[in-house]
């Protein structure tokens, strides 16, 4: 239960997987079509922590060409990726006896293009939630790990008008789950973290928000409406402003 002393004045949204469809859908389809184990590419993505090609590109530290070249090497490092995947299976108490790839031929550029294409489609119920919150008087922001490529700029320009603040990792030079990135967004909105509801599809990003005192809500693929309903329940109970129809 939320503390009754808490008053919500702002809502912060992730973009991919929340406002628009999740790029993880494209990753999953790529894994299936190339006969890779489920979540194999996601494990490869996350095993580098904040220092991988994807993470560096989200902070605008490397160019697109550098990103593709480095990510290609990371994605096709079969020894390191198999080791990370076995550790992932062990952590989740899954069967570690499955047959893992002996070689990898992941096309980083093709995969990235597929991910960007999926993220062009909005989750309409979440977009409507943003509009409703603004009508009610709440401050709303986007907090996104994104890219300063052509597709990223087009998406940012199209979506920024929905929000009071559109906070981009590729502009700020920080990315989730770095708590400084969340604090930066709160400062722009002129609210404290405990006055914020935060929506994201990635657990470690939600954990960082919780550590700051935010009310964190996970948006799961195919269950976006459930997250919308949860936000509205919180607003009706703890919101600073009168809900509107």
């Amino acid at each position: 239960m939320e503390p009754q002393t808490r008053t919500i004045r702002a809502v912060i949204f992730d973009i991919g997987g929340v406002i628009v469809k999740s790029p993880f859908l494209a990753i999953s389809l790529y894994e299936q079509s190339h006969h890779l184990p489920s979540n194999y590419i996601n494990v490869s993505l996350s095993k580098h922590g904040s220092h991988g090609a994807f993470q560096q590109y989200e902070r605008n530290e490397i160019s697109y060409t550098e990103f593709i070249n480095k990510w290609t090497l990371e994605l096709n490092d079969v020894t390191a990726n198999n080791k990370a995947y076995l550790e992932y299976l062990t952590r989740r108490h899954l069967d570690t006896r499955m047959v893992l790839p002996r070689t990898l031929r992941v096309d980083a550029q093709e995969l990235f293009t597929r991910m960007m294409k999926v993220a062009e489609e909005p989750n309409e119920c979440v977009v409507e939630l943003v509009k409703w919150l603004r009508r009610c008087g709440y401050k709303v922001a986007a907090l996104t790990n994104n890219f300063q490529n052509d597709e990223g700029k087009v998406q940012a320009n199209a979506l920024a008008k929905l929000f009071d603040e559109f906070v981009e990792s590729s502009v700020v030079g920080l990315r989730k789950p770095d708590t400084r990135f969340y604090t930066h967004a709160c400062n722009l909105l002129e609210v404290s973290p405990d006055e914020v509801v935060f929506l994201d599809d990635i657990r470690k990003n939600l954990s960082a928000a919780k550590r700051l005192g935010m009310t964190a809500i996970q948006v799961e693929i195919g269950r976006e409406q459930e997250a919308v309903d949860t936000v509205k329940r919180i607003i009706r109970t703890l919101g600073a402003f009168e809900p509107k129809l």
Side-chain angles (χ1 to χ4, degrees), residues 15-185:
I15 295 296
V18 178
I19 296 295
V20 299
K21 300 297 181 184
S22 174
F24 293 123
L25 291 168
I27 292 177
S28 178
L29 289 173
Y30 190 95
E31 289 171 341
Q32 293 172 34
S33 65
H34 289 76
H35 309 291
L36 294 173
S38 177
N39 274 331
Y40 190 88
I41 291 175
N42 288 331
V43 171
S44 175
L45 261 175
S46 62
K47 76 181 177 67
H48 294 281
S50 62
H51 303 294
F54 209 86
Q55 293 81 0
Q56 287 182 296
Y57 193 42
E58 287 180 328
R59 294 191 298 265
N60 201 26
E61 294 173 353
I62 56 177
S63 69
Y64 176 75
T65 300
E66 290 170 326
F67 159 62
I68 290 298
N69 290 340
K70 183 174 180 179
W71 198 31
T72 297
L73 293 174
E74 292 174 357
L75 288 171
N76 291 290
D77 186 344
V78 66
T79 300
N81 289 337
N82 283 354
K83 180 177 182 291
Y85 194 73
L86 285 171
E87 292 170 352
Y88 159 81
L89 293 174
T90 300
R91 287 195 304 272
R92 284 158 178 74
H93 307 289
L94 300 173
D95 191 349
T96 59
R97 295 170 296 178
M98 68 165 57
V99 177
L100 296 178
R102 294 183 178 180
T103 60
L104 289 167
R105 295 183 180 86
V106 180
D107 187 325
Q109 188 165 4
E110 178 190 353
L111 176 58
F112 187 71
T113 299
R114 291 189 187 190
M115 293 169 67
M116 295 300 97
K117 185 66 176 176
V118 167
E120 292 176 0
E121 184 180 351
N123 283 321
E124 294 292 354
C125 64
V126 185
V127 172
E128 290 305 313
L129 174 64
V130 175
K131 294 176 181 178
W132 177 78
L133 288 164
R134 295 193 77 176
R135 289 198 303 271
C136 294
Y138 291 89
K139 295 180 179 180
V140 293
L143 188 68
T144 177
N145 291 347
N146 71 347
F147 317 98
Q148 282 296 298
N149 58 0
D150 290 341
E151 294 88 348
K153 291 177 182 177
V154 168
Q155 185 185 68
N157 290 337
L159 295 175
K161 61 188 177 186
L162 282 172
F163 300 94
D164 295 300
E165 299 289 346
F166 196 85
V167 190
E168 306 171 74
S169 65
S170 60
V171 173
V172 178
L174 299 169
R175 65 184 294 277
K176 296 173 289 185
D178 189 328
T179 53
R180 294 175 298 171
F181 195 34
Y182 302 71
T183 301
H184 177 69

